[in-house]
Amino acid sequence: MEKVLMKGNEAIAQAAIHGGCRYFFGYPITPQNEIPEYMSREMPKAGGVFLQAESEVAAINMVYGAAGAGARVMTSSSSPGIALKQEGISYIVGSEVPCVIVNISRGGPGLGGIQPAQSDYNQSTRGGGNGDYNMIVFAPANIQEAVDLTAEAFEIADFYRNPVMILGDGMIGQMMEPVVFHETPKRELEPKTWATTGTGGKRAPNIINSLHLDPANLEKHNLHLQQKYARMRAEETRYELYQADDAELVFVAYGTASRIVRNAIIQLRETGVKAGMIRPISVWPFPQAAFDQLGSQVRALMSVELSCGQMVDDVRIAAAGRWPVGFYGRSGGMIPAQHEIVDACRSMLEEVA
Amino acid sequence: MLEKTICAGFGGQGVMSMGRLIATTAMENGLEVSWLPSYGPEMRGGTANCHVIVSSTPIGSPIISTDATTVLALNLPSMKKFEHALIENGLMIYNSSLIDQQPEREDLRAVPIAANEIAADIGNLKAANMVMLGAFIELTGILKADDLVRALGKMFGSGKQQFIPINEKALREGMRAAAQG
């Protein structure tokens, strides 16, 4: 297959079409505008529908509708836009319909800025809307990974009848790298007998709904959802261990932050400091298992984020008191320089000496 | 091989395309590449830049902070901003048609290229970026002109093939200027 140089946003859009997405509803916001732009041009050629909604709220409810009718559907936005979609996402989870949501995040809170940030970690991994719910959240660190995960996300969403989120940031969205569109791993999927496709007078109507007024029913429904999340935790966790075998300090970083950490590790090792990394690829489910694989030589963990410290809480939970947990982060669209991470690692190792 | 290049200039001078062409050509030659644009509330006439990394091994961070091997500066603000991003003895190729001074740093390998004049002489001022690119491949030796022209053909697609000859000419004039410089 041919290798092509593509911008992250365009590659994600193409990957969605490649993964069978035929409906896209969205509303413009920087730094993800190339996704709807690409979809508006390419989706009709694939026989699908692109529609620019009047707002983010409208877009997510169009997604809800299309998903309820059994379509493969996606929306994309950036941080404040994703915040607006939360009500719809919660309804979609409650109604158990599948879709893919892309967040090319930017600095916050509020309108914030338009430069890359990872400060939507909590919003993404804690559900975001009301109620007890989760969704699988993949955080690609390069464009090839973004392509592979986006295409596969549609299979996974259908498998669980639950949304899957692709959590990128402005840098992943805007940068270009070579990509290849591989064949997407397929799952055994049940026919969508629940979809509202018209009864044809031959069966009782299907109903897509998240309202359960009887508390006993709603609790039963919640327990059913929790069973799905337990299965996701068991089967959908993804991570990469980088130079962790002999590492004394193990960084934990995902997406854009992990790329700078990777360079910092190379620099640290050149000067004899044994550093490594756990890179969560799924930030929900969080890769607890990766921490259990660490050897007894590990002296400290350090979460590096483009935020004021969100994933660090999950790192503390995963560490379970076994190692001291440090944090280094920049926010608001500022990107930490390699030497800042190197310095933070050295200080932490001195502290725990 | 590890080449970290910053292309910078006014919006509209084609600095993003220059970077994209370097990345595309290097990718076609089997090298690892990344292209990272500045983005923001930018417009024609404002400043624009992109970071291009070409490497024989996988690329970590696509950001170039203070380890640029080459800066291609198409206007004065870009030269002033990015000369400090260069490594010691780094290569500064600057558009002397618009920049009437030298970089402040004395350790740099500074090469003036009269890109606008050369482009105007061959009949298209818009090809000034290709003149700069010609100087870049001549001085770094990382890419061949023929490969670059082939990649340009792909980038342009079927609708713009008529612009290939003027761009190729600009590229080769840029190489010549750098070789003479």
Side-chain angles (χ1 to χ4, degrees), chain A residues 251-288:
Chain A
F251 289 106
V252 187
Y254 68 96
T256 285
S258 74
R259 298 185 64 131
I260 306 156
V261 167
R262 199 176 290 263
N263 282 22
I265 290 170
I266 294 168
Q267 188 186 336
L268 282 160
R269 283 189 173 262
E270 280 168 2
T271 57
V273 180
K274 287 177 181 157
M277 172 167 61
I278 293 171
R279 177 173 76 87
I281 297 169
S282 60
V283 286
W284 197 94
F286 190 72
Q288 304 253 357

Side-chain angles (χ1 to χ4, degrees), chain B residues 40-62:
Chain B
E42 283 155 11
M43 57 183 186
R44 191 169 289 268
T47 58
N49 71 76
C50 60
H51 296 190
V52 182
I53 301 180
V54 174
S55 173
S56 44
T57 55
I59 294 165
S61 171

Side-chain angles (χ1 to χ4, degrees), chain A residues 91-268:
Chain A
Y91 281 41
I92 287 168
V93 173
S95 305
E96 291 193 87
V97 294
C99 67
V100 175
I101 300 152
V102 178
N103 181 2
I104 301 297
S105 64
R106 55 189 246 180
L111 279 175
I114 59 173
Q115 297 300 319
Q118 297 180 321
S119 42
D120 294 353
Y121 180 90
N122 285 343
Q123 184 192 60
S124 313
T125 59
R126 268 63 183 166
N130 65 299
D132 278 319
Y133 77 89
N134 283 103
M135 58 191 155
I136 296 169
V137 182
F138 290 130
N142 57 62
I143 312 302
Q144 183 64 56
E145 199 168 67
V147 161
D148 295 341
L149 292 170
T150 303
E152 196 184 351
F154 289 90
E155 287 285 313
I156 299 171
D158 277 353
F159 186 77
Y160 289 102
R161 291 179 58 184
N162 200 71
V164 173
M165 177 174 275
I166 304 295
L167 179 62
D169 61 58
M171 197 168 94
I172 295 291
Q174 294 295 321
M175 71 182 290
M176 287 180 122
E177 280 182 328
V179 291
V180 179
F181 290 87
H182 301 291
E183 200 169 317
T184 309
K186 295 275 185 260
R187 303 208 173 192
E188 268 190 44
L189 299 174
E190 306 272 335
K192 294 181 174 178
T193 52
W194 44 265
T196 52
T197 50
T199 65
K202 292 190 179 101
R203 59 164 170 81
N206 287 337
I207 296 168
I208 304 289
N209 186 18
S210 68
L211 182 69
H212 300 262
L213 287 173
D214 176 358
N217 270 347
L218 181 53
E219 185 179 51
K220 199 175 146 205
H221 178 56
N222 266 308
L223 292 175
H224 161 67
L225 294 179
Q226 290 301 318
Q227 278 179 352
K228 290 205 299 188
Y229 306 143
R231 184 165 182 192
M232 291 175 199
R233 281 197 185 91
E235 296 178 15
E236 308 298 341
T237 304
R238 298 186 194 191
Y239 59 91
E240 178 197 2
L241 287 172
Y242 177 70
Q243 307 259 31
D245 284 350
D246 63 344
E248 292 181 43
L249 183 134
V250 175
F251 289 106
V252 187
Y254 68 96
T256 285
S258 74
R259 298 185 64 131
I260 306 156
V261 167
R262 199 176 290 263
N263 282 22
I265 290 170
I266 294 168
Q267 188 186 336
L268 282 160

Side-chain angles (χ1 to χ4, degrees), chain A residues 15-51:
Chain A
I17 295 172
H18 184 68
C21 177
R22 289 296 178 269
Y23 293 83
F24 179 91
F25 307 103
Y27 186 79
I29 182 169
T30 306
Q32 63 83 55
N33 282 325
E34 293 85 356
I35 297 178
E37 182 193 15
Y38 188 92
M39 286 296 195
S40 69
R41 188 173 68 237
E42 299 299 328
M43 189 58 103
K45 292 183 199 165
V49 170
F50 163 86
L51 198 150

